[in-house]
Amino acid sequence: MRLKAAAAAVLCLHCLGVYLFTRGFLLTRTELSASSRPSDLSRCPCSSASASASASADLHLPRPGWTPPTVDRVLILVVDALRFDFVAPSSLFQHQHQHQWMDRLSSLQHVASSHPLSSRIFKAIADPPTTSLQRLKALTTGGLPTFIDVGNSFAAPAIQEDNWIHQLVTTGRRVVMMGDDTWTHLFPHHFNHSYPYPSFNVKDLHTVDNGVAQHLMPWLYREDWDVLIAHFLGVDHAGHIYGVDSQPMVQKLEQINALLQNVIDIMKSQKHLLNTMLIVMGDHAQTLNGDHGGGTSEEVETCLFAWMPRSLPSSISSIFDSSTCGLGLNGKNICTSTMQQLDFAVSISALLGIPFPFGSIGRVNPELYALSPGSWDPQWLPASFYQDPRSDLKTWKNNFAHVLCINSWQVKRYIDSYSATSVMGFPSDDLHYITKLYNEAQSRWSDSKNSPCKPENGTINEFSDFLLSFATLARSAWTEFDLKLMGVGLGIFIISIIFHLFVFERAHSLSNVYDNKTQKSSNHLQIYVAFLLVAVRAVSFLSNSYILAEGRVANFLLATTAIGSIRSSLVYGKIKKHDLVFLILIILIRFGIEKGMSKQAATNPFLNYDSGSDFDLKWLPSLFEGHDFVTLLSEVSPMIILFLLSFLSCKYITCTVDSRYIRWVVTVGTMLSYLFIATFWLSERSFAPKMVYVIGLSLFVLNFVLRYLGILEKGETVQRLRTLALVMVSAWSPTILILLGKQGPFAVLVCIFAGWSIISSKNKGLLDDFKMDPISVMQWSLLAICLFYQTGHWCTFDGLRYGAAFIGFDEFKVVRQAILLFVDTFGISHILPIFSLPFLVTIPNSSSSKGRDKTVIFLNLTQVYLLYGLITAITTTFTVLCVAIQRRHLMVWGLFAPKYVFDAIGLLLTDLLICVSALYYC
Amino acid sequence: MRKAQIGATTALALHSLCAADLATGYWLSHSLYSSSLITHPAPTLRILTVCEAPVVIVMFSWLRRDHDRCSFIKALARGLIGLPIGALINAFGAIVLGAPVGLKYWPATIYWSMLMSLFTFVPAACVFGASKLDWQQILSYSKPSNIVDYMLSVPAHGAIIGAWLGAWPMPLDWERPWQEWPICVTYGAIAGHLIGMLLSPVLIFLHRRHIRTKTE
């Protein structure tokens, strides 16, 4: 009774803690699948009647859009990891030393200084995480990246949200892409022509750049494209390998510079490129060491350079901000502006005249927009506007106000749609404020259309105000941690640990009352040792390296306890068989973990695991390579182990379970399951796994029914408890085994023997057999962690074994496949160990098992469960603490956050299973 | 029972001899072959083992427990046999704890386990031989009756705990050469061993005083 209440209370506390911490830490954004369509404009209040008529008339044109295109083509050259000080004149950075990498992109500086009215250097501020994939996603959708983009995609990288590439394709533009193959992963079917090059090999500085250079020049002479994207990777790779302040980086910049000069010359000479905007931009910047991913100013301050070969009206200078200027290489002044990368998607959509992406929350950048000749063109304004041909500026402002109005309308539409559909919307106060701003701006706009004097500046300012306020709100909701919520969540975790400790201490002292022996002090020593091990493990989570090597750390600690127990075996007698078996099992588990790590290293950029040198048992298989019996062995050995397992479980069930009927049912169920597993492996028939799941589930339900009908109540307490645990484990193990695949039998066999070793090695003559041994519980928990890693799992989302979700099923259904994936991930590390914990207090063949008080046994069982829960809770609390401390760490999204998610789910599952066990066993 | 009881000063002197020997070995490898533990772990460990082995075996054979039944030569032989056995046990323990098993690590692992054997197993083998009771006693600390027990047990435990702690920096991503197996583990073991050798005379001194106050 006590265990049930305590476990339920702890579960509730943990749920609350996890919920609050997650709210504060894991920033969530719901991806909306809606796309903007050209015809949507008819619902926009910005266009007057005639304008909307013309917009709908536009639909019949080959290039329908919301605003008329202001440029013919756009040439986008993305230089990965382009720092602002690569492009901007070094005189802007006077407080710094002159570095060798500065002023290397002289071709851009020459253009900027000689064409101050048709070119511009922007400092473009990116939103973290500053990794290429996230940046490209944000640049094309116009949204903000967050940790969890809740979307429809199930591990597929292709962008599902609306983006300007998609808009270009649907409005019939031709897009050409060359360079980094991330683009083709994100947009698999969008490009008319694409020349992707692999981006993974960081040590390769030239393949991508040379490939781009080879294809770029011929394409510039061709006319059958509208948007050309070329993505250079050399600068990023040179930074990663050599750092920014290095000769390879300088050479790389020189190479890019020559290429850019070439492009600029071609653009000046070719007539069809006269109305083409050249954009040279970085997706993110880098630190001097070449790192990026975080949110420091070095990493987020990248550059955007825009140039129009055609000359533009001179009144553009009044739009440009001229506060930050410096002398360029040729002694002329170069001014720079600042823009948000968030604004890029909508700005480019406005330039090309395509519908703005549905999820874009940026604002059309005025300076970038002014660089296009079309924005100065009075032709496309609604006829109702008063036009003053003498004033270019006035026309431009009219045009820009119109674009901003559509922009605001689109953002407002997104806000409404997002608030209506997403789980966690925006705070309602902020929403009210935003709506008020929007309404004011709209009413001013409609007023201005009718009044003769048009305060365009006011309208522009009000729309800008609305857009900037919303961007701020979205940033705080999607990219800033809520420290208060995180603190409260952490506090609840700590309170739950104190409560847990208190309950455990009560149970412990109660058992000492029953137990009038003098073994108290030694038991205390064991508790301290167990908590020391927990503390060592918990503190190790502070470092990313130990999180990556968690399996090996757990294995190391498990081996330490095993060696300690051998030492005490020596002291109290001689080394037993099970001690040596345990050591050998630990070595086997260790090889499994290392194999998993080498698999993980292939996908995880953070894990620097040299599988070639550390685990070069490769010479072993290579000795036998080509021999048939090796392949035969790898095919047959799971079968043999499976047969062994079925034999073992059959034997153990027969000699443990008293009741004839139950023995019969469980044996038949288990045998049938194993038979079906063998059938599945031999013939790949999909009915077999389904049968295994059905048998497992019905045995599980049957157990509870029998338990509550009182049929399993017969016999002595110890005997009964053992029967219950055995029946429960038999119900679960075939399902877990089949999900684990061919490695399953081996893993389960290791699990059984390791459990047997732990049980037999506990109580070194000091304690009587039913006393709880904290070291064994600690070993049990460490073994569970080792088994998680040994079976090829690890704590990132690409570490999930998606294949397991489709064992027995071909088509995808979210709930069903998620359950299978869940059972595969947590089966052998949580479900089996926790349900089999009663074996720790019910050792077979012990002489003193007869006539033990029922209360004492249950008290011990309660202690075991409480201690197991406590160990998990303490380590998870430390994970939470470390995640909170490291929230600005470079690897927070790659490593700490997934670790937190896995640990939090593991903790809640542990609590839940302890509750179920309490209901079932007590 | 000749020389059965030796004083704290003697113990300190003997321990300093061991430490000086270790230092000599390190200096030798450094000056003769210009190899340090970081650049050439296996050769350096070999030199350390070769330097340390005779001193340890001779010293602890001289301290043997059963002077009457066991000659000096026999104790020497026990030490020599104990060296590979202890190395095997240490290597096995290291592999259980996660030492790499790749072929290129084998020389370093072999010499490291020899050195560990000299720190832990060989002294006890010289002193006790195959007497099971003595081994149990020294592992359990239940009756710290003898001075030699301290000299054996404290530095040996120091070496093992030091090696255990020395393994912790290995997974860190600092990419320093000394994080390789078995360099930092060796440093930890040597440091722990030295601390143990400093500690054991202190414990012997305290133990002596305790007995004296008891008898008085």
Side-chain angles (χ1 to χ4, degrees), chain A residues 243-293:
Chain A
V244 170
D245 200 357
S246 65
Q247 206 50 43
M249 177 63 87
V250 172
Q251 285 165 3
K252 201 77 224 173
L253 289 173
E254 298 279 355
Q255 182 198 352
I256 299 278
N257 184 46
L259 219 131
L260 289 174
Q261 187 60 55
N262 216 341
V263 170
I264 290 164
D265 292 341
I266 294 174
M267 283 182 71
K268 278 179 179 164
S269 66
Q270 294 296 311
K271 210 156 181 76
H272 72 278
L273 293 177
L274 188 64
N275 243 346
T276 300
M277 183 179 272
L278 169 69
I279 294 178
V280 180
M281 62 186 294
D283 53 350
H284 52 76
Q286 55 183 328
T287 64
L288 287 184
N289 294 326
D291 298 326
H292 55 85

Side-chain angles (χ1 to χ4, degrees), chain A residues 71-197:
Chain A
V71 292
D72 287 350
R73 300 169 212 266
V74 176
L75 172 59
I76 302 174
L77 305 181
V78 183
V79 181
D80 213 289
L82 185 72
R83 282 166 67 96
F84 180 58
D85 56 5
F86 284 166
V87 180
S90 57
S91 54
L92 269 178
F93 310 96
Q94 269 160 355
H95 54 284
Q96 290 177 11
H97 296 287
Q98 295 297 304
H99 293 289
Q100 55 171 340
W101 71 79
M102 287 178 163
D103 291 329
R104 293 287 166 179
L105 298 179
S106 52
S107 55
L108 298 185
Q109 283 195 22
H110 279 297
V111 172
S113 57
S114 53
H115 305 280
L117 294 182
S118 61
S119 70
R120 196 71 182 164
I121 295 175
F122 295 91
K123 181 197 275 182
I125 315 275
D127 289 294
T130 44
T131 48
S132 288
L133 181 80
Q134 267 75 23
R135 288 320 311 150
L136 292 187
K137 227 171 153 174
L139 279 173
T140 48
T141 60
L144 288 167
T146 50
F147 175 61
I148 306 176
D149 289 335
V150 186
N152 300 326
S153 58
F154 194 64
I159 292 186
Q160 307 288 322
E161 275 186 299
D162 194 13
N163 55 74
W164 53 264
I165 305 273
H166 170 76
Q167 291 297 342
L168 283 172
V169 173
T170 48
T171 52
R173 317 294 169 92
R174 295 153 297 181
V175 189
V176 178
M177 197 290 304
M178 50 192 73
D180 188 345
D181 61 356
T182 312
W183 285 89
T184 45
H185 294 151
L186 291 174
F187 306 101
H189 312 295
H190 296 66
F191 302 118
N192 288 48
H193 292 272
S194 63
Y195 307 92
Y197 293 91

